[in-house]
Amino acid sequence: MRLALFLFLATSVAAAQQAAPAKPARTSPWFNAQNIDFVALTPAPPASGSALDRQDMQAVLLAQRTRTSAQIQRAQADDKEEDIFVFASVFGSFGSKFNAAELPVTAALSQHLRDASGVVNSPLKLRFARPRPFVASTLVHPVCEKTASNSFPSGHSMVGTLEALALTQIVPEQSTEIFRRLDQYAHNRVVCGVHYPSDVAASRTLSASLFGLIAASPAFQKELASARAEVRNHMGLTAGSAEPVVARDYLANNTVLIVRHAEKPDDSTGQPGLTEAGRHRAEAYRKYFQPFREDGMKLKISALYAGADSESSIRPRLTLEPLSKASGMALNTAIGTKDPEALRALLRTQPHGETPLICWRHGQIPALLSTLGAAPASLLPGGKWPDEVYDWVVVLQFDAQGRLASQKLVRETLQVH
């Protein structure tokens, strides 16, 4: 995802003014919307009627078929709240103290984050004009409020992501719990039946970029510092540093390892799993990556990411599941392999240690490499991962600023029969 900033589309703003009755436009004290175009940062939604669009709809219908009463109740509760206090549960038994009445400075920060999201979200909804799932299909039966606004991108997911990123700067020791709650909050838009998964994914990607812009504002830093002091004092947490809090790039000083999923059946079979050889490879990874040894290095894997399951393939997950179970590390499967920008945003904004391992579908690895700043053409033959090759590991090293410092391709040294 490019972070270049462009002139904001005046036509989108004009269209918004014409399409709805007079309504005060949201503004942000942290940036001038007239100078920024977030359309360039936003991956367009799947074209109507396309295979990806149909897959999106199937995901909504799957969530509808499998949602429980408890999930519906949580999704309905989240539907009614878009402020930072949706994250109260990360404070455990002290969560009741994390509320707007007792934390007015933090409540004001939350409203400003919501305004910042609205500055960007409203024109994008008009620009892409994607109907809600329940508008596109009578098979969708939403359990949350039906709104007249368009579906893409998700406003709740944008606001939630901005608030989560801000809260990690206030209570960084709770980052893991904050992002886990964000995953639930964003997915609940699909459970509600009011958004597609791609609406949610695009929102989270866009918000990661927007937060980088916001964090550069001295006004935001001042407001964040005040909220941080208020929260930590009220919740009885140590004061910590008095220095201004800045957004951290969690790719800094990382070594990222990327593999493709293990051996698959012939495409004509329609089987989504692994072959016997693939299962052997997945089992062999338990030892091979504990630890990973290369050129005298001994790298301890710190986090596991696999491309989300699809109707046609669950192979990335199956490939790393044995390693996940053997190591005790959770396997993150929240992001699909056709959304590398979302994974990059997750790696940059969420703590994961120094050596994350990613398992991706081979056809999408070049796009992932490009998104992370690597050059597929210099790593892979013709810039593509060959269909018949399963025993490569891409090693990407990042410097202290989170910039790619080196890239190389390693052939595995394990035996798979």
Side-chain angles (χ1 to χ4, degrees):
M1 178 177 57
R2 300 187 300 267
L3 296 180
L5 301 178
F6 301 88
L7 292 178
F8 189 58
L9 287 181
T11 54
S12 293
V13 177
Q17 294 171 341
Q18 294 171 6
K23 188 176 181 179
R26 284 181 174 171
T27 59
S28 173
W30 304 321
F31 62 91
N32 183 354
Q34 298 301 317
N35 297 330
I36 304 163
D37 177 14
F38 286 95
V39 173
L41 301 177
T42 308
S48 179
S50 66
L52 290 177
D53 186 47
R54 293 194 297 272
Q55 182 177 317
D56 242 5
M57 178 61 77
Q58 288 303 312
V60 174
L61 294 173
L62 176 62
Q64 178 175 283
R65 289 195 302 271
T66 58
R67 63 194 178 195
T68 64
S69 297
Q71 288 174 325
I72 290 173
Q73 290 177 358
R74 287 194 296 267
Q76 290 172 335
D78 283 349
D79 181 57
K80 297 175 182 177
E81 189 168 9
E82 290 185 77
D83 58 46
I84 200 168
F85 303 107
V86 299
F87 295 95
S89 61
V90 307
F91 295 101
S93 60
F94 296 96
S96 61
K97 298 178 64 177
F98 189 68
N99 63 74
E102 298 178 59
L103 297 167
V105 174
T106 306
L109 173 68
S110 176
Q111 183 58 52
H112 287 153
L113 288 166
R114 188 173 180 179
D115 290 340
S117 174
V119 169
V120 176
N121 185 268
S122 296
L124 289 177
K125 283 185 180 292
L126 289 164
R127 166 68 176 80
F128 292 110
R130 189 185 198 188
R132 298 269 181 174
F134 57 83
V135 175
S137 172
T138 57
L139 296 176
V140 178
H141 305 295
V143 292
C144 300
E145 181 184 0
K146 294 182 180 180
T147 63
S149 64
N150 291 322
S151 190
F152 184 93
S154 163
H156 277 70
S157 299
M158 280 193 66
V159 173
T161 302
L162 289 178
E163 291 167 343
L165 292 171
L167 191 56
T168 61
Q169 305 304 303
I170 294 172
V171 283
E173 62 269 43
Q174 298 297 115
S175 291
T176 299
E177 290 77 9
I178 291 168
F179 283 114
R180 185 179 294 118
R181 176 68 177 104
L182 174 61
D183 289 341
Q184 179 191 61
Y185 183 77
H187 179 64
N188 277 344
R189 305 310 292 156
V190 181
V191 173
C192 276
V194 297
H195 276 294
Y196 299 97
S198 63
D199 298 341
V200 171
S203 296
R204 295 184 65 169
T205 299
L206 181 59
S207 291
S209 295
L210 177 57
F211 189 76
L213 173 69
I214 289 172
S217 164
F220 169 77
Q221 288 295 335
K222 182 177 180 180
E223 195 168 348
L224 181 66
S226 297
R228 185 176 193 270
E230 179 186 64
V231 169
R232 299 192 72 84
N233 178 65
H234 183 66
M235 304 301 289
L237 303 172
T238 57
S241 173
E243 294 298 317
V245 180
V246 296
R248 176 179 174 182
D249 187 339
Y250 286 99
L251 268 179
N253 297 314
N254 267 203
T255 299
V256 177
L257 307 179
I258 302 172
V259 297
R260 71 167 291 182
H261 62 67
E263 284 83 344
K264 63 177 183 176
D266 185 272
D267 289 337
S268 63
T269 67
Q271 297 298 314
L274 303 175
T275 63
E276 183 177 359
R279 291 190 290 273
H280 283 309
R281 183 178 300 280
E283 288 294 327
Y285 278 172
R286 295 195 305 171
K287 182 177 180 180
Y288 182 67
F289 284 109
Q290 289 199 96
F292 177 71
R293 301 175 187 272
E294 166 60 25
D295 287 346
M297 295 186 298
K298 183 179 178 181
L299 302 176
K300 182 179 180 181
I301 304 301
S302 58
L304 300 175
Y305 297 88
D309 290 352
S310 71
E311 291 184 356
S312 60
S313 171
I314 58 176
R315 288 181 278 273
R317 171 172 60 81
L318 293 180
T319 301
L320 292 188
E321 271 190 344
L323 175 60
S324 173
K325 293 176 181 179
S327 64
M329 284 185 288
L331 178 57
N332 188 316
T333 60
I335 297 173
T337 55
K338 293 183 179 179
D339 195 5
E341 293 89 353
L343 181 62
R344 176 178 180 270
L346 192 67
L347 292 172
R348 287 201 178 282
T349 59
Q350 183 170 339
H352 52 256
E354 296 183 351
T355 313
L357 171 63
I358 301 167
C359 184
W360 223 235
R361 294 181 177 89
H362 75 289
Q364 304 300 325
I365 288 179
L368 176 61
L369 293 174
S370 296
T371 300
L372 292 173
S378 63
L379 278 171
L380 308 173
K384 297 180 179 180
W385 191 297
D387 186 61
E388 70 280 3
V389 174
Y390 292 89
D391 61 348
W392 288 350
V393 182
V394 174
V395 182
L396 304 179
Q397 292 185 309
F398 294 82
D399 64 18
Q401 285 72 48
R403 297 173 300 197
L404 185 68
S406 68
Q407 59 178 31
K408 63 180 174 180
L409 194 64
V410 175
R411 185 173 294 279
E412 294 173 1
T413 57
L414 52 83
Q415 298 295 321
V416 179
H417 301 288

